[in-house]
Amino acid sequence: MELTGDQLEKAEEELRRYLPRSLTVYGTLVLNKRVRADPVKFIVDKWPEFRVFICKPQCLQEDDLFKDLIIFTTDPAALKETIKIPSVIDWTKYICLGTDFRHIEIFTRMASEKQVPCNQRAVCHMMTLEDVSRLPSIDSSGISLSSLNESHIDMVKAKWKFSGKEGAAKSMIRNMIVNFPSCCVLDAEGKPVSWILTYSSSAIGMLYTLPEHRRKGYAKVLVHAMARRFHAEAYPVFCFIEEENIVSYRLFKSFGFTEDPSYRITCNSSEFS
């Protein structure tokens, strides 16, 4: 069933009980309630004692391919039954899925039954900042900070490693820049040389610095600024780091971000052929 109104308030309270493992759906709900964003349906297997919670983006255009279907569950058996329902997942369309790595076999088996190829895009650490006081002090004097705007969409897209599908990546990045918090370092001409964005789950990420501007501490300044802003505005402070990205992992760890080593987030895609 789809949640609306007061049900969403109660769901937010309930999801807090399962933090940090429920962070992806919790963050999506929190962000969607507070800022203008592309429409999302919040679906549960039953109410009020749900075992499966799904954030289902509404793909209004054909290029809306990077809108993740995000799923949290406390009961794998209930998850198996829920994803069989056609109104929950339409296996005839492109699906971009984010969920606990421990449950991915449920989806790959279902995709196999539907004769749909399932491709793993990434496996990530989920790192959270529980105590903002653990942030080290950062000297940002002389550094000009701002937010990204629509004129920066193509620039950010060009530097994102997953932007192979032209229209899809641009649509996703536009939504992030126009609707969600971002921060960037500007050069003397007012052009961004380093930036960080917010995903629809409210995770901070897509951190990037132009090669010629690296080793100046810009990434540290941006992470520090976004973490403090999110904490002040009562957003969860967390990020996804791909397993092979040791540099970013060490950076966020140095800022006091921690993880549950037994927990991983996986991003998979499938498309009916």
Side-chain angles (χ1 to χ4, degrees), residues 78-95:
L79 178 60
K80 289 180 183 178
E81 295 304 313
T82 302
I83 64 172
K84 291 179 182 178
I85 302 172
S87 61
V88 173
I89 297 182
D90 183 352
W91 292 93
T92 67
K93 295 183 178 180
Y94 184 91
I95 302 167

Side-chain angles (χ1 to χ4, degrees), residues 224-245:
H224 189 273
M226 286 287 274
R228 290 189 65 86
R229 175 180 175 179
F230 272 45
H231 175 76
E233 296 178 7
Y235 288 108
V237 185
F238 71 107
C239 65
F240 303 123
I241 306 293
E242 291 178 80
E243 287 189 322
E244 64 271 21
N245 192 343

Side-chain angles (χ1 to χ4, degrees), residues 24 26 30 33 53 58 78 106 109-110 140 145 150 169 180-181 216 218-219 227 250-251 267:
T24 53
Y26 174 77
V30 169
K33 286 171 53 184
F53 193 100
Q58 300 306 288
I106 295 173
R109 285 184 178 179
M110 179 62 68
S140 60
L145 294 178
E150 278 195 86
F180 304 153
K216 298 179 182 180
Y218 291 164
R250 289 174 177 169
L251 170 65
C267 298

Side-chain angles (χ1 to χ4, degrees), residues 167-267:
K170 191 166 184 175
S171 176
M172 170 190 171
I173 291 169
R174 182 188 183 282
N175 183 46
M176 294 169 71
I177 288 177
V178 172
N179 296 326
F180 304 153
S182 66
C183 191
C184 64
V185 174
L186 303 177
D187 65 10
E189 298 178 351
K191 298 179 180 178
V193 296
S194 184
W195 53 81
I196 190 168
L197 284 75
T198 304
Y199 288 102
S200 61
S201 63
S202 85
I204 59 175
M206 216 175 279
L207 177 64
Y208 186 85
T209 301
L210 297 176
E212 62 271 27
H213 290 277
R214 291 174 184 172
R215 300 184 182 278
K216 298 179 182 180
Y218 291 164
K220 292 182 178 180
V221 170
L222 292 175
V223 172
H224 189 273
M226 286 287 274
R228 290 189 65 86
R229 175 180 175 179
F230 272 45
H231 175 76
E233 296 178 7
Y235 288 108
V237 185
F238 71 107
C239 65
F240 303 123
I241 306 293
E242 291 178 80
E243 287 189 322
E244 64 271 21
N245 192 343
I246 304 301
V247 173
S248 289
Y249 182 87
R250 289 174 177 169
L251 170 65
F252 280 88
K253 190 173 183 180
S254 72
F255 273 78
F257 284 73
T258 60
E259 65 166 332
D260 177 347
S262 68
Y263 182 71
R264 290 289 186 276
I265 286 289
T266 182
C267 298

